[in-house]
Amino acid sequence: MRLPVIDPADMNERQKEIAERIAGRRGAVRGPFRVWLNSPELCEKVEALGAFARFESSLPLRLRELSLLLAARNWDAQYSWNAHVDKAIESGVPADAVKAIAERREPVFDRAEDQAFYQFCVEILRDHFVTEETFRAAEEHFGAQGLVDAVGSLGNFTMLGMCLNAFQVDLQADREPPFPDIRGYERVAR
């Protein structure tokens, strides 16, 4: 990681409070939170948005995880991908679709709503706009709240990917980089 991890003994009171809250909700302070703790107020707000996107959104769990993988692949955020690829498959995202996304191929989904969600997410990430046809198809499945939650999730997971890449958050020691073709990310030895 490009920034030193803040030792708990060196944290100010605000950092300790937020770190304890994160550890309580997520089991530990790891990954991007070790970066965000350098800005405690931002960390607190990012953690709250991330918790909403992952645990409370109106979207089904498989689509919350799919949105995370799509943003992770869009940003080549290897830490995020590795941390969620198994969860996405366990939650119902087809393994073949996950493999296709990793390889930048067009995935195939069994459910029409998953295909509509994928298309909506890819268009906004790739093209920065969504066609009328894609918008209406996704709206039919998810309604206004679902679409707003999808954009919020993609925005959150995009910020996550940017953080992971800018600060070169260490990959998990037991996982290989899923995108070996990217440049700019050096695997940091632990």
Side-chain angles (χ1 to χ4, degrees), residues 32-133:
F33 297 106
R34 298 183 316 167
V35 172
W36 284 323
L37 275 172
N38 285 281
S39 178
E41 299 309 317
L42 176 64
C43 184
E44 179 178 51
K45 289 161 179 60
V46 168
E47 194 281 329
L49 177 58
F52 172 80
R54 288 211 36 232
F55 307 120
E56 302 166 19
S57 165
S58 67
L59 298 169
L61 176 60
R62 75 182 183 285
L63 297 183
R64 286 181 258 154
E65 291 292 337
L66 178 59
S67 69
L68 194 147
L69 290 186
L70 291 171
R73 188 58 180 119
N74 185 68
W75 284 93
D76 296 323
Q78 300 195 37
Y79 180 101
S80 190
W81 180 278
N82 279 347
H84 287 273
V85 66
D86 295 336
K87 293 174 188 171
I89 293 168
E90 289 166 11
S91 71
V93 179
D96 288 343
V98 170
K99 186 174 194 284
I101 292 165
E103 296 172 354
R104 294 195 189 279
R105 292 184 293 107
E106 191 74 20
V108 176
F109 294 93
D110 299 333
R111 298 178 176 122
E113 65 263 23
D114 292 10
Q115 188 64 48
F117 184 81
Y118 167 80
Q119 191 63 40
F120 179 86
C121 292
V122 165
E123 285 185 22
I124 196 65
L125 288 169
R126 181 192 63 211
D127 304 333
H128 310 153
F129 294 92
V130 177
T131 65
E132 186 68 20
E133 178 183 0

Side-chain angles (χ1 to χ4, degrees), residues 8-21:
D10 296 331
M11 289 182 186
N12 63 38
E13 288 305 313
R14 189 72 173 117
Q15 289 169 320
K16 287 178 186 175
E17 172 191 335
I18 294 167
E20 288 173 10
R21 190 175 320 134

